[in-house]
Amino acid sequence: MENLENSLERYFSYKTFRTGQKEIISDIMAGQHVLATLPTGAGKSICYQLPALLVKGGVIVVTPLLSLMEDQVKQMKQRGYSHITSLNTFNTEQERLTIIRNLHKYKLIFLSPEMLQNQNVLKKLMLIDISLFVIDEAHCISQWGHEFRPDYLKLNNVIVDLKYPTILALTATATPDVQKDVISQLASVKFKKHIYPMDRDNIALYVKQVDHHHEKDRFIIAVLERYNVPTMIYFSSKKETERVASIINQRFDQLNVAYYHGDLDTSDRLLIQQQFMENQLDVICCTSAFGMGINKSDIRLIIHYHLPTQLESFIQEVGRAGRDQLESVSITLISPNDHQIPQRLIESELPSLESVEMLWSEIELLSQSKLTVKVDTNEWAQRYNFSEVHLRFIKNFLEAYGILKYNKYIVSHSSIHEAKIAIINKIKERSRYKKHKLNELLNWLATSGCRRQRLYAKFQSHISPAKYQCCDRCGFDLFQWQPKQSGYRQRINDYLSQLKSVMIPFNEDE
Amino acid sequence: MFTFIILFCVERLKSQRSMASVYHILQGKRAAQTIQDANLYQLTDVFSIYSKLRRSQFDQVMNQLLQSGWIALDLDKHVYVTEEGKKYLTDHQGCFQIQYFNGATYAKIFELFVKRFSLTIQTYSNVVMHRRTFVPIIEDDATQQWVKRHYQIDQNDLKAYLVDLHESTKAFLQTIDRRSAQLFVDRLTGYQQVGLSVQQLAKKNNVSEHDIQMMLTLTYHRFLQYIEDRRPQSLLRFIDDELSLVNQHFMTNSAEKTYQLIRTGLTIDDVMAVRKLKRSTIEDHIVELAYALPNLNIETYISEVDFNKIAEVVRMNDNRKLSLIKSHLNDEFNYFQIRLVLARYQIKLN
Ligand SMILES: [Zn+2]
């Protein structure tokens, strides 16, 4: 068998592995279960994409986010790898049935945790040879992880049903607490840990306090006047991405700026992403929806116009800068009362206590009339204003208590009241927890010590000293920064020559 | 341009329809009522020219038009164009060249064509420059498979094909106005050159995003017409396997099923039993068929004498409101019979 480096070059055209990849892959290939934390941008996906090409059986990848799934499938297909599929709740019934029927033909299968609860899927998977079972974003298993997904808890049973294939649990951000929790939730698996530091020594951290959000606009203009480098500006509001993009656009004739958020239609989203990759855009004003699957190594500047809800997300977003290891900068702009935006976001992530009370009254009433009653849970969502996430959270609870069966029957049950108390406690606990996470971020902003030390302290014991400048607390002066500037790109405005360069990029005489 | 199109539709609806009808026609809802409206009010050319339009976006535009006083609602909630709106229409007569829309004919192949054309250019121009990894701008599987199939045939002579394609596309662009041509080219994605999004095009051209959608659609309709007329080989391939769709009857899927049954000689009652549908639904289908198929034999449903009686009243009255026609006829005939005559009458007029 050829060595791993040769395979890497053959399939992915990389000459060397990045930190950790080879160690992790070697252990997996030796049948060892692995828990690995690798920082964002360190090439997590190679850790299972390469084994998928080398092992005999299939590889299952459980991943929580549809966009992550789709991005990876797309990337692999781009590389000409076609035995790959993704199975999720967004497939049409017909597509899903076709994929399930042909599941044995695929080498790499991306699944949402919910799909693994589908008995047809599980039965089919039990019939085929699974060499590797990957749990991506493994922090979702832990209720202390920043995005707990109850369905991840059921993975332990799935692993037993599949008769213990090799397990790879991967995550980008996991505090020691979360790591411990992941291991205890998957009690039947003995993990070998590969923990790699997430601190980034080439990114200087700068926090700018302003009195009013208009000042944020002015500050951004001042920065862009000075620096023309690939820049991302993060917002938590879609409207604001548009507003600031238009301000920048009006102010700078030569700068190419665009906004990006979840409401753009798919084709426009793809175009904007690719323009950024091809350096046709200098500045992108975006929500956190942008960035998944973006593999641009020379992003120089990340500005947070709004705050995310926790340090973990902040670290991930900042980590998109400077993957080429050159000097890069993160700027965080804060004005008074800025904490209210993430606070509101947190509140909207959980169902309100009143709506839960009302739903339970309905369930109690239903269960008194008959032993089993058919219900439409989507109607609940409408009646009580539950989002999809709310509804999943509630349904999981009802199922765990045996009150909801097969997604559509309410069974008369003695524990209805007990379940209500439990779910209300859970909501309160989650909300307290999320507020605590937000406070960690706010405390970091208020710190008087070195920002780098404080940002990563929770995640690792040793933090590398800054390779270039460190942070505003250590005397980093933003306007002393001297990155290599991009030139201004001119777009030809003659449709005939433009048409020719799009359709005939080669020299016709050759 | 979008404003103009909406006012144009509203004007043709002669204050006999609600705002929703305008939406359904532009969006291309394949429902009997919408298809009948498009036929009755001569709006088939703009049928389905904006299938991506969301109801909320449409409502927003309509509210603006109401506020600016260009359209208004009568007591029945029917929408009409005000004097001011009419002035806008006359002032901009001919500005937008909307006579080139061919909605009913191209509704089914337009998007298919755009997807295949765009992805082919992106794929071929990248591969020809030896860049094999790029993110396809068209995500849907059917289109990707289609391009892949053609690529396998062309792969040894990509350059020659691109040169041909460029020639034919250029020839077409030279037949249209400069601004539309520039817009068309700005949207294309090729090697190391990514097309502009609708939002960016709107900014560049200083018009609304809706306008951009309409301008692009119009240009593509003209492109399709050009391909049908001139039949350049390099472009014909994008539609030749779907040309049947161009001429496919302009009807709903459900009406098509009913048609298959009545062709075998089944009566309305038979079809009701076979399809387990209500009489009124089958009658809707037959009316729809009468619009789509000029040769449909309707004598089974209405005698010649009755037909002429109704036709007489329809001809004397410009108003095409069913209830009015019905009362003019002293309620002697039912709605089905009247609609049937309207359908046939409409076709005879043309
Ligand atoms: Zn520092």
Side-chain angles (χ1 to χ4, degrees):
Chain A
M1 195 175 132
E2 63 180 354
N3 69 26
L4 289 177
E5 272 89 0
N6 289 346
S7 312
L8 181 72
E9 184 167 0
R10 186 146 69 91
Y11 295 114
F12 296 92
S13 344
Y14 298 137
K15 289 228 174 340
T16 51
F17 284 104
R18 292 203 247 167
T19 315
Q21 287 174 340
K22 188 177 180 185
E23 292 76 3
I24 293 168
I25 294 172
S26 309
D27 275 351
I28 295 170
M29 298 299 291
Q32 176 83 54
H33 304 302
V34 171
L35 167 69
T37 73
L38 278 171
T40 345
K44 272 195 305 169
S45 45
I46 293 283
C47 296
Y48 51 82
Q49 287 178 354
L50 183 60
L53 295 159
L54 304 175
V55 295
K56 195 162 88 329
V59 173
I60 293 176
V61 182
V62 184
T63 179
L65 282 170
L66 185 71
S67 60
L68 284 177
M69 221 183 274
E70 296 294 321
D71 281 342
Q72 295 222 22
V73 172
K74 229 182 294 163
Q75 278 176 20
M76 291 291 281
K77 282 191 174 164
Q78 264 177 62
R79 296 205 170 92
Y81 189 74
S82 55
H83 306 287
I84 173 169
T85 190
S86 76
L87 198 51
N88 52 60
T89 41
F90 285 84
N91 295 131
T92 63
E93 187 70 25
Q94 196 54 45
E95 285 169 346
R96 210 184 309 166
L97 288 175
T98 315
I99 297 173
I100 294 174
R101 202 173 326 116
N102 293 306
L103 221 42
H104 56 281
K105 292 185 185 162
Y106 296 104
K107 282 290 284 184
L108 193 51
I109 303 162
F110 287 87
L111 288 163
S112 63
E114 290 78 21
M115 283 314 297
L116 278 175
Q117 296 306 311
N118 179 319
Q119 287 307 308
N120 285 334
V121 175
L122 192 60
K123 268 188 207 136
K124 181 84 191 191
L125 287 176
M126 283 161 70
L127 291 176
I128 60 186
D129 176 24
I130 304 293
S131 296
L132 178 62
F133 187 89
V134 184
I135 306 170
D136 200 9
E137 311 294 324
H139 57 261
C140 293
I141 297 178
S142 166
Q143 53 175 330
W144 311 120
H146 57 278
E147 35 192 1
F148 171 55
R149 291 270 293 243
D151 278 300
Y152 263 64
L153 289 180
K154 301 173 187 162
L155 291 182
N156 202 23
N157 294 333
V158 174
I159 290 168
V160 176
D161 285 340
L162 295 179
K163 303 202 177 56
Y164 298 99
T166 307
I167 312 291
L168 169 63
L170 278 168
T171 170
T173 45
T175 57
D177 287 357
V178 172
Q179 291 169 27
K180 225 180 279 167
D181 205 24
V182 170
I183 292 172
S184 74
Q185 295 293 353
L186 299 172
S188 56
V189 182
K190 249 195 128 33
F191 279 113
K192 181 165 173 191
K193 285 211 263 177
H194 286 261
I195 309 299
Y196 292 90
M198 54 174 48
D199 62 326
R200 298 287 306 278
D201 58 7
N202 62 323
I203 304 174
L205 302 163
Y206 187 85
V207 178
K208 171 80 180 167
Q209 182 91 44
V210 298
D211 291 331
H212 194 271
H213 76 88
H214 293 316
E215 266 186 65
K216 292 186 179 180
D217 301 352
R218 281 199 287 274
F219 188 81
I220 286 176
I221 287 172
V223 171
L224 295 179
E225 257 165 4
R226 205 157 179 128
Y227 300 115
N228 178 16
V229 292
T231 301
M232 291 176 73
I233 311 180
Y234 274 107
F235 296 81
S236 51
S237 131
K238 294 170 188 163
K239 269 223 170 78
E240 287 286 285
T241 62
E242 298 185 16
R243 188 185 64 83
V244 175
S246 117
I247 288 180
I248 297 172
N249 195 53
Q250 277 162 22
R251 180 67 186 68
F252 301 97
D253 268 354
Q254 295 201 292
L255 222 50
N256 291 302
V257 54
Y259 61 80
Y260 180 105
H261 55 63
D263 282 357
L264 297 185
D265 75 39
T266 340
S267 65
D268 276 8
R269 279 210 301 253
L270 277 169
L271 290 177
I272 302 282
Q273 277 189 17
Q274 292 187 47
Q275 289 170 9
F276 193 53
M277 304 278 282
E278 296 281 2
N279 298 320
Q280 271 170 242
L281 285 175
D282 305 293
V283 181
I284 183 130
C285 296
C286 60
T287 61
S288 57
F290 189 82
M292 307 275 194
I294 283 290
N295 211 346
K296 184 171 169 63
S297 64
D298 62 350
I299 300 172
R300 280 286 149 278
L301 178 60
I302 304 272
I303 301 178
H304 276 92
Y305 193 99
H306 291 138
L307 295 173
T309 55
Q310 64 222 326
L311 281 178
E312 280 86 342
S313 319
F314 181 77
I315 289 174
Q316 272 191 8
E317 285 163 9
V318 166
R320 300 223 158 86
R323 294 198 180 157
D324 55 7
Q325 306 308 320
L326 297 180
E327 183 174 16
S328 308
V329 170
S330 146
I331 299 175
T332 308
L333 299 172
I334 38 173
S335 60
N337 301 325
D338 262 12
H339 60 280
Q340 287 172 359
I341 302 168
Q343 227 156 45
R344 275 198 297 273
L345 217 72
I346 287 172
E347 276 159 23
S348 69
E349 281 166 1
L350 289 160
S352 76
L353 294 180
E354 299 85 72
S355 59
V356 169
E357 292 268 6
M358 288 193 305
L359 172 63
W360 247 261
S361 312
E362 184 183 326
I363 292 175
E364 270 162 8
L365 215 70
L366 284 175
S367 67
Q368 277 160 16
S369 61
K370 267 191 250 162
L371 277 176
T372 44
V373 194
K374 201 169 165 189
V375 290
D376 179 355
T377 53
N378 289 324
E379 266 178 24
W380 295 350
Q382 284 191 352
R383 209 167 321 153
Y384 302 110
N385 215 355
F386 294 136
S387 69
E388 220 185 294
V389 181
H390 295 163
L391 193 63
R392 199 162 48 218
F393 177 81
I394 290 167
K395 285 196 323 203
N396 262 302
F397 242 89
L398 289 171
E399 277 165 11
Y401 276 83
I403 300 165
L404 181 68
K405 287 247 163 86
Y406 309 115
N407 209 2
K408 57 179 171 202
Y409 295 102
I410 288 286
V411 183
S412 180
H413 206 287
S414 54
S415 59
I416 291 180
H417 185 67
E418 195 186 319
K420 181 170 97 176
I421 293 172
I423 194 170
I424 285 178
N425 283 336
K426 192 75 187 174
I427 291 171
K428 287 182 176 162
E429 180 191 307
R430 291 294 298 159
S431 144
R432 263 198 306 276
Y433 174 72
K434 283 172 181 237
K435 282 180 186 148
H436 162 73
K437 300 297 287 181
L438 175 59
N439 276 331
E440 285 182 345
L441 177 64
L442 298 175
N443 289 341
W444 175 75
L445 291 167
T447 184
S448 56
C450 170
R451 296 204 185 275
R452 174 179 313 282
Q453 290 293 329
R454 286 290 303 272
L455 184 59
Y456 300 110
K458 232 177 48 154
F459 302 95
Q460 58 201 74
S461 48
H462 173 259
I463 294 152
S464 318
K467 204 158 129 196
Y468 307 99
Q469 305 235 41
C470 184
C471 67
D472 54 308
R473 296 293 190 224
C474 295
F476 165 50
D477 177 359
L478 177 61
F479 292 102
Q480 295 300 316
W481 179 40
Q482 289 180 322
K484 184 175 164 278
Q485 307 256 359
S486 327
Y488 292 104
R489 190 184 164 114
Q490 290 277 327
R491 235 192 131 83
I492 348 161
N493 239 344
D494 158 26
Y495 75 86
L496 285 179
S497 39
Q498 213 175 314
L499 181 76
K500 191 166 177 198
S501 82
V502 170
M503 288 186 154
I504 313 185
F506 49 91
N507 188 339
E508 252 184 291
D509 306 324
E510 277 168 24
Chain B
M1 179 177 188
F2 190 46
T3 306
F4 184 86
I5 294 170
I6 288 183
L7 289 177
F8 174 82
C9 293
V10 172
E11 175 72 359
R12 287 239 163 138
L13 290 176
K14 297 185 173 173
S15 63
Q16 287 165 14
R17 285 289 177 271
S18 66
M19 298 210 282
S21 325
V22 181
Y23 173 73
H24 293 317
I25 290 171
L26 293 175
Q27 200 274 330
K29 186 175 178 185
R30 287 189 174 268
Q33 180 67 53
T34 304
I35 286 183
Q36 196 185 324
D37 280 353
N39 275 310
L40 195 56
Y41 297 102
Q42 287 148 3
L43 289 169
T44 48
D45 284 349
V46 293
F47 178 80
S48 194
I49 58 172
Y50 199 171
S51 60
K52 278 188 216 156
L53 181 64
R54 285 196 298 267
R55 186 59 197 263
S56 57
Q57 297 172 315
F58 174 79
D59 288 345
Q60 207 183 355
V61 174
M62 291 308 260
N63 278 332
Q64 281 163 5
L65 289 176
L66 282 169
Q67 269 165 22
S68 64
W70 288 3
I71 57 170
L73 295 177
D74 66 14
L75 290 174
D76 299 327
K77 295 261 177 202
H78 291 162
V79 62
Y80 63 93
V81 182
T82 63
E83 284 311 312
E84 251 179 285
K86 282 183 181 154
K87 186 170 179 307
Y88 177 89
L89 275 175
T90 2
D91 288 351
H92 291 80
Q93 189 73 45
C95 280
F96 303 109
Q97 303 178 295
I98 68 166
Q99 71 275 17
Y100 290 117
F101 275 123
N102 207 341
T105 311
Y106 294 137
K108 281 199 173 174
I109 60 160
F110 154 66
E111 273 171 53
L112 202 76
F113 174 80
V114 177
K115 285 182 188 168
R116 289 172 175 183
F117 180 71
S118 320
L119 188 61
T120 297
I121 295 174
Q122 188 196 17
T123 308
Y124 285 23
S125 75
N126 271 291
V127 174
V128 90
M129 298 307 283
H130 309 289
R131 182 161 153 186
R132 289 183 166 272
T133 60
F134 56 90
V135 183
I137 49 166
I138 305 298
E139 291 189 290
D140 88 79
D141 226 33
T143 308
Q144 294 188 359
Q145 294 304 331
W146 187 92
V147 173
K148 201 176 275 176
R149 268 203 314 278
H150 283 79
Y151 171 74
Q152 273 153 8
I153 303 165
D154 296 333
Q155 55 183 335
N156 295 321
D157 215 358
L158 284 185
K159 287 187 178 176
Y161 176 70
L162 281 172
V163 170
D164 275 359
L165 185 64
H166 172 253
E167 267 318 305
S168 320
T169 309
K170 183 170 139 192
F172 160 69
L173 290 178
Q174 284 170 329
T175 68
I176 65 174
D177 60 291
R178 210 187 160 77
R179 190 181 187 208
S180 306
Q182 181 69 51
L183 189 72
F184 177 94
V185 176
D186 276 341
R187 182 76 169 152
L188 295 178
T189 295
Y191 173 67
Q192 286 191 338
Q193 192 167 327
V194 183
L196 298 184
S197 71
V198 171
Q199 154 218 337
Q200 290 167 322
L201 289 170
K203 199 170 289 165
K204 184 177 172 188
N205 288 276
N206 211 5
V207 295
S208 74
E209 293 185 21
H210 296 306
D211 290 348
I212 295 292
Q213 298 280 15
M214 294 296 89
M215 289 156 83
L216 285 170
T217 303
L218 183 69
T219 305
Y220 271 105
H221 280 192
R222 295 181 75 173
F223 200 12
L224 284 165
Q225 187 66 59
Y226 178 91
I227 297 168
E228 269 201 275
D229 293 346
R230 311 281 181 94
R231 310 186 72 77
Q233 279 309 310
S234 61
L235 283 161
L236 210 52
R237 62 156 62 176
F238 295 109
I239 46 169
D240 57 4
D241 57 336
E242 308 291 343
L243 269 179
S244 58
L245 284 180
V246 176
N247 301 318
Q248 198 178 57
H249 310 306
F250 177 44
M251 63 173 78
T252 58
N253 296 334
S254 187
E256 180 131 22
K257 277 188 198 140
T258 296
Y259 178 52
Q260 300 306 338
L261 294 172
I262 59 170
R263 269 174 70 186
T264 65
L266 295 190
T267 65
I268 293 185
D269 289 302
D270 296 337
V271 180
M272 282 164 61
V274 173
R275 297 203 58 197
K276 299 195 175 54
L277 289 172
K278 284 190 295 199
R279 169 173 294 274
S280 60
T281 311
I282 306 298
E283 288 178 350
D284 284 344
H285 290 165
I286 293 170
V287 172
E288 198 186 325
L289 295 172
Y291 273 111
L293 309 165
N295 300 323
L296 184 81
N297 181 5
I298 57 169
E299 275 166 33
T300 339
Y301 313 109
I302 186 166
S303 71
E304 207 180 322
V305 180
D306 289 349
F307 182 95
N308 288 332
K309 271 190 199 165
I310 300 172
E312 182 69 20
V313 171
V314 172
R315 226 167 304 175
M316 306 230 309
N317 291 278
D318 189 36
N319 195 316
R320 293 195 175 116
K321 211 163 177 177
L322 286 176
S323 55
L324 278 177
I325 298 171
K326 190 161 181 280
S327 66
H328 272 298
L329 288 158
N330 304 321
D331 290 325
E332 232 178 278
F333 301 98
N334 63 31
Y335 282 126
F336 173 54
Q337 292 168 310
I338 299 170
R339 285 164 63 205
L340 214 45
V341 175
L342 276 176
R344 186 45 43 94
Y345 194 63
Q346 188 67 20
I347 289 159
K348 278 182 180 167
L349 263 182
N350 287 340

